Each structure stands twice: as C-alpha cells, then as structure tokens.
Amino acid sequence: MTDEQHRRTPTRLWGGRFEGGPSEALARLSVSVQFDWRLAPYDLLGSRAHARVLHRAGLLTEDELDRMLGALDDLEEACRTGEFRPAVADEDVHTALERGLLERLGTLGGKLRAGRSRNDQVATDLRLYLRDHVRQIVSRLVELETALIAQADQNMGVAAPGMTHLQHAQPVLFSHQLLAHVQAYARDVDRLRDWDKRAAISPLGSGALAGSSLPLDPEAVADELGFDAAAANSMDAVSDRDYAVEFLAAAALIGVHLSRLGEEVVLWASQEFRWIEMDDTYATGSSIMPQKKNPDVAELARGKCGRLIGHLTALLTTLKGLPLTYNRDLQEDKEGVFDAVETLLLVLPAMAGLIATMRVNTERLEALAPQGFALATDLAELLVRRGVAFREAHEVVGHLVVWCQVNDKDFGDLTDDELAKVSPHLTPDVRDVFSVQGALAARKAYGGTSPERVGQQLTALRSLADDHASWAAS
Ligand code: ARG
C-alpha cells in the first residue's frame, strides 16, 4: 500500500490531529490485524456489553441500542462466513470492526467508542480469547490423560524395567510409569484452572488508563462477559499482562511434559528398547529406507517445546522495565500467545492418538524387568529385615553383583554354594526375593508400584480426568 493510499484510508481511529497520513514504513510496522483478527469474536462480545452500558448511561437511545446490537449481530455473522474481512488499511482488529460497524450504521457506528479505548479493549479481548482457549486446551489434555489411563488399564500387571539415569534400577508396573505422566498432565490442568481465577478480571471501563468520566458500569460489563469482577485499578488493568505470562508459563510446562513423554516414546519404539509398536496411522516412513517406521509425532511434540519456552521468555523480556501504563510494546503480547495456543491444540491430539493406538510389547517388558540385577535392592532389604545393617547388606549384594558379572550369571542362576561363598548372610531362602511379581507386590505403601496401589491410583485419576472434562465444558 502506498503513502497516498494510507492517507486516504477512512478507517484510522486517530486521524483528527494529524495533517498527513502515516508513512508506509510506520503503517507496515504498526499493523497487527494479520494476527489479532483472531480476537474478532471476543471484541464483538465486548462491544455488545459496552453498547448496553452506554444505553443504560443514557448515551444511546433504545432505538440506537437496537440498531447497534442488530449491526453487531450482522457483523459477527459476516465475520463468521468470511463475507467481512479485515482490509490492508485496517490497523488492527478494533479498527476493522469499527469500519464494519460504520459500513452498517453510518455515524451511529461511531458512538460505540465513547468511554472505551483500544487499551482496555485489547486487554479484555485477549483475556476472553485465552479463557475460551484454555478450556479447549484442557479438553485436549483430558484426551491425553484418558489415552494414558486406558493403556495403563489394558496393561495392568505388566512389569517393566524402572529406570534411573536411564539404567535399570528396580522393576515397576508399566502402568505406574504411564500414570506418572498422567500425574504431570493433571497438574497442568490444575495450573490452568488456577490461572483462570486470576484471569477472570475485566479491564473494560478502564478507558485509555484513567477510567471514564461517562457514567459507565464496569461491574455490569464484567458480569455480562463472564468475568468474576471488574479491575480495581484502571492503570493496572491496561498495562497488566500477567495473565499472558502465566498462561505462557503453564503452556511451556505442558510443552516440557510433552517433550518428556515424547522422548520416552522415541526410546520405547526404538530397536534397542522395542517396548511398544506404533500404529501405522501415527508413524511415518523414510523416503529412502523402505524399512523405516519413524516416531515423528513424538519428536515433533519434543521439538515444539522450544517455541513454547521461547514465547514465555520473549514476553517477559518485552514487559521488563515498561513504565505504566499502556505502551505499544504491549502489542507484542499476542503472537506468542496465539502460537502457544495453536501449537498445543495441534500437538495434544496427535500425542493422544499416538498413545491410544500404540501396542505394548508385554512379553518383552516382562522379560526385561528383572535384567540388570534390578532385584538387588529387594535382596538388600531382605537382609535388613533379618537384622543386617543396611550398610553391610548393600556391600554384600554389591559383591554378589560383581561375582555374577565376572561369572556371567544372573541372580536366578546361583547355586546355594555360590551364594554362601559370597556371604554367610546369603542363605538359600534369600531366593524368595528373586521374583519380579514379589518385588512389585512388596511396594504396597501409598504411592508405590504394587498392583493394588496402582489400581487405586488409576481409579482416582479416572475420576480426576472426568472432573477436568466437566470444567473444560464450563
Ligand atoms: N493493536 C494494539 C495492541 O495490540 C491495540 C491497542 C492500541 N492502543 C494504542 N494506544 N495505540 O496493543
């Protein structure tokens, strides 16, 4: 668009005191409608509430209010069908929608801006957008929780190697590991619900920064828009972006959790692990190696974490040192937020599908579970129950492990004599603990991997996921 076209643009919201139009370079830098158009439905909600308040304040007649609401309905429908679209000359979503209103109502369309600034408008729109989309994200998180819970249920009782340092440590139920991931996503949902309480504050009525001299009713607007309260300080209301930062922090942590699950799936699907087989519908092939089946979903989930963390860092950096109140820097709050929302809405269903459709190689998991002397702790604890100091028990079992490694034997292959040779504490009956199922059953305290405890955990998580689903529908 040329300077001349910009000068002629009818939609600028601030042309009055300017002789010429903006330079092309300024216009290009300033324009945000290409991304903030996503806020249009929320801006229209705010406009309806504001129109009613203007009417109650005696600033719109009954007839004007009716025409205004009718035009807003019509404009909303036109936005929905794509019949009304932002133009290149529209600086932002608020400008575009005011143009839509002017096109429908003539001068009456210009009355809606009374007592309202884009500063309180944009802050309101972004809160409405986020509160709506956070519920969609929670719905997708519930699908992932549900997929993990279903796999945990189907594979209940299957032992797996539990790892620390990616080395075999102690056997666990594979279900216990799957539910460990559910615990993380459940905390994510909890965080978003907690976030929602602080996000439920309406900035509308704050005007540019100081409130309005017109008799508006911010509390009524807050109520109509589903907020819990109106902002207590207009200066804070137009400059606060904590809700965006907190959302991005929660999104970044979801990204971290997805990357950790993604990494495990990549390992599990590898030739070396072979714990799971991915369904063809959630795996990809190689353009050159016909035999390949690649875990791209899990890798993209892992990889996309980078941008989620980046958006949090970027917004914090933008906000640092900003004086009160509104500064145009704040326009930078939106693209990261939109991208974080859209990234999560893209990744979560793919991960849920990958988990729901994977086949667990239960025989291999069971066979791997005791490997790497994974029952060594159980043996040491047996000696402790017989009165041996843990320090000595640890030593004895350590020696036994070395002896086995040197002689290429596993715990289960040892004869009575061989046991006795390593230590007199190792009587033949210590073999009782060389059982994976026994080791699992023994970990029966709350939070442990015994089948009974994991069963209880599964039941509790199932009802938690139901609770999450009903919140998302609220
Ligand atoms: N597009 C702007 C933003 O996203 C809207 C607020 C503009 N306010 C102003 N005083 N120029 O922040």
Side-chain angles (χ1 to χ4, degrees):
M1 183 178 216
T2 64
D3 279 17
E4 185 47 37
Q5 282 169 308
H6 268 296
R7 255 186 287 281
R8 281 189 278 111
T9 163
T11 53
R12 252 184 308 136
L13 302 183
W14 41 267
R17 60 106 58 219
F18 287 81
E19 283 184 5
S23 68
E24 194 174 338
L26 164 65
R28 280 185 197 286
L29 174 64
S30 175
V31 65
S32 59
V33 77
Q34 69 279 23
F35 53 82
D36 66 18
W37 185 242
R38 291 171 177 79
L39 298 177
Y42 308 98
D43 203 74
L44 288 163
L45 284 175
S47 289
R48 275 198 199 89
H50 189 63
R52 288 200 184 92
V53 158
L54 290 179
H55 168 247
R56 284 202 292 278
L59 300 167
L60 284 183
T61 65
E62 190 79 41
D63 173 59
E64 285 175 327
L65 175 66
D66 286 347
R67 282 164 58 210
M68 186 74 83
L69 293 176
L72 286 167
D73 286 347
D74 185 59
L75 184 54
E76 181 169 47
E77 180 61 13
C79 291
R80 215 182 46 72
T81 60
E83 183 207 314
F84 182 84
R85 292 170 171 284
V88 240
D90 295 325
E91 185 182 311
D92 55 22
V93 58
H94 323 291
T95 317
L97 292 174
E98 180 161 324
R99 176 173 59 80
L101 216 49
L102 291 169
E103 284 166 10
R104 283 161 177 76
L105 295 172
T107 42
L108 173 59
K111 283 200 166 187
L112 194 60
R113 215 197 300 160
R116 192 169 69 156
S117 153
R118 282 183 293 167
N119 298 352
D120 58 348
Q121 221 174 322
V122 77
T124 306
D125 292 358
L126 193 58
R127 281 175 188 259
L128 288 171
Y129 166 90
L130 269 176
R131 294 191 72 209
D132 190 14
H133 284 79
V134 154
R135 284 159 175 77
Q136 295 178 31
I137 291 169
V138 169
S139 287
R140 302 291 88 78
L141 280 166
V142 171
E143 284 162 15
L144 181 55
E145 289 174 329
T146 306
L148 286 159
I149 291 170
Q151 285 287 1
D153 195 15
Q154 273 160 41
N155 296 288
M156 193 48 109
V158 176
M163 300 197 178
T164 62
H165 312 267
L166 205 61
Q167 307 283 328
H168 285 215
Q170 293 173 355
V172 291
L173 281 184
F174 188 54
S175 304
H176 197 44
Q177 179 153 356
L178 293 170
L179 295 181
H181 287 286
V182 179
Q183 298 285 353
Y185 296 114
R187 286 192 295 276
D188 288 326
V189 172
D190 211 37
R191 231 180 314 278
L192 291 173
R193 290 174 70 164
D194 189 53
W195 167 90
D196 191 59
K197 291 181 208 150
R198 281 181 300 286
I201 298 294
S202 170
L204 214 56
S206 298
L209 80 162
S212 177
S213 67
L214 302 172
L216 305 179
D217 187 352
E219 280 118 319
V221 171
D223 195 49
E224 175 166 347
L225 294 177
F227 289 114
D228 291 344
N233 183 316
S234 60
M235 295 179 78
D236 177 47
V238 295
S239 53
D240 167 35
R241 291 296 181 275
D242 290 3
Y243 60 95
V245 170
E246 279 192 53
F247 166 74
L248 288 175
L253 195 45
I254 296 171
V256 169
H257 293 153
L258 286 167
S259 79
R260 296 184 73 172
L261 178 60
E263 168 67 3
E264 295 217 327
V265 172
V266 169
L267 287 171
W268 297 345
S270 71
Q271 188 61 35
E272 286 65 28
F273 274 69
R274 279 189 291 116
W275 289 14
I276 60 150
E277 162 105 33
M278 293 174 295
D279 192 76
D280 283 1
T281 52
Y282 285 93
T284 53
S286 155
S287 52
I288 180 168
M289 298 164 283
Q291 85 287 6
K292 288 292 292 274
K293 193 165 174 184
N294 290 328
D296 289 29
V297 169
E299 291 169 301
L300 284 166
R302 194 175 56 185
K304 295 232 183 238
C305 183
R307 66 206 290 160
L308 294 170
I309 294 172
H311 295 321
L312 172 63
T313 312
L315 183 57
L316 284 169
T317 310
T318 292
L319 295 174
K320 181 190 172 294
L322 279 190
L324 295 180
T325 55
Y326 181 84
N327 304 273
R328 193 60 184 278
D329 313 46
L330 292 174
Q331 181 166 294
E332 287 295 306
D333 61 355
K334 279 176 279 302
E335 283 163 289
V337 163
F338 296 148
D339 184 71
V341 165
E342 286 160 22
T343 297
L344 289 176
L345 292 178
L346 210 53
V347 173
L348 285 166
M351 277 300 275
L354 174 67
I355 296 295
T357 57
M358 71 184 189
R359 282 175 295 281
V360 179
N361 191 347
T362 55
E363 274 162 39
R364 180 158 166 84
L365 279 174
E366 294 268 2
L368 289 172
Q371 285 185 13
F373 305 101
L375 296 168
T377 315
D378 294 84
L379 179 55
E381 285 176 0
L382 174 73
L383 300 185
V384 166
R385 283 198 294 278
R386 292 180 174 179
V388 182
F390 186 75
R391 194 184 162 77
E392 191 187 347
H394 189 283
E395 196 91 335
V396 166
V397 179
H399 286 145
L400 186 66
V401 168
V402 173
W403 193 93
C404 286
Q405 280 173 333
V406 169
N407 294 284
D408 197 22
K409 292 207 170 197
D410 222 330
F411 281 171
D413 311 327
L414 295 165
T415 65
D416 293 356
D417 281 354
E418 288 166 343
L419 283 170
K421 222 184 303 173
V422 174
S423 163
H425 291 305
L426 298 175
T427 50
D429 56 351
V430 300
R431 278 205 200 79
D432 293 353
V433 295
F434 294 158
S435 138
V436 168
Q437 289 307 324
L440 294 172
R443 285 166 173 77
K444 56 181 187 285
Y446 183 73
T449 193
S450 75
E452 195 190 341
R453 288 298 184 185
V454 175
Q456 290 165 354
Q457 192 191 161
L458 193 141
T459 309
L461 285 172
R462 211 176 247 148
S463 59
L464 199 60
D466 286 346
D467 180 49
H468 293 168
S470 48
W471 184 80
S474 73

